[in-house]
Amino acid sequence: MPKIVDHDQRRVDLVQATWRIIARHGIDGATMREIAAEAGFANGALKPYFPTKDDLLAFAFGYVFDQTNRRVAESIRGHSGLDALRRYCLEVLPVTDVTISEARLVIPFWQKALTDPDKAALHSDSMERWRVDFMRFLAEAREAGEVRTPASDDVLAGQLMSFLLGAQITASLTPDHHSPEQLIEHLDSWLRMVSAAS
């Protein structure tokens, strides 16, 4: 009887293997041969799923983004305003082994997105979804009297986005000055500032 292959699971296995190799060796170390070996597949077995490494990298970014959103949805369930916003950010900030590995994966994706319109569009769509969520929580917080700064919610959402994406770089490149504890304190300091009366 022929073996039944779960193709969706194989794609996930390959993405997770890619994730592990990039976290350990960077994007240059993530050759198709190394990825196949890490996932326990023959080198040629990748071609039906991902013809090129760029295809695999794009899928991997989408997978990481989806995983982050699943964690966020679970974390914010039943919460609103600044409480929900803080919970949201803690699922993005590189403060755990998982989110640090995710940061090391998205950094090379950004490099590719600079010259690839499809990858740039994927990133833009993903970040717009976050921005919409941030605006919703900020509006809830302002209505509840939690946000007192005169800065607009659009400005605050932009600050938060810049902080989260920048933290993925700084935590990867200068972890001594951007430890998980420090990043959490940076987030909490920002939350205190937006809550302070002008």
Side-chain angles (χ1 to χ4, degrees), residues 54 57 108-121 123:
D54 274 359
L57 188 60
F109 177 86
W110 290 337
Q111 182 181 5
K112 297 285 187 181
L114 289 174
T115 56
D116 185 324
D118 290 338
K119 290 182 179 60
H123 180 263

Side-chain angles (χ1 to χ4, degrees), residues 112-171:
K112 297 285 187 181
L114 289 174
T115 56
D116 185 324
D118 290 338
K119 290 182 179 60
L122 175 59
H123 180 263
S124 179
D125 290 347
S126 301
M127 295 304 97
E128 180 60 17
R129 178 172 171 181
W130 285 4
R131 195 190 75 80
V132 168
D133 288 343
F134 294 166
M135 292 289 285
R136 183 174 85 252
F137 295 133
L138 286 166
E140 290 174 354
R142 201 176 287 276
E143 185 175 352
E146 297 175 331
V147 172
R148 299 180 180 88
T149 177
S152 70
D153 290 352
D154 187 60
V155 167
L156 297 179
Q159 290 174 343
L160 196 54
M161 186 72 75
S162 295
F163 165 61
L164 292 174
L165 299 185
Q168 293 183 313
I169 297 171
T170 56

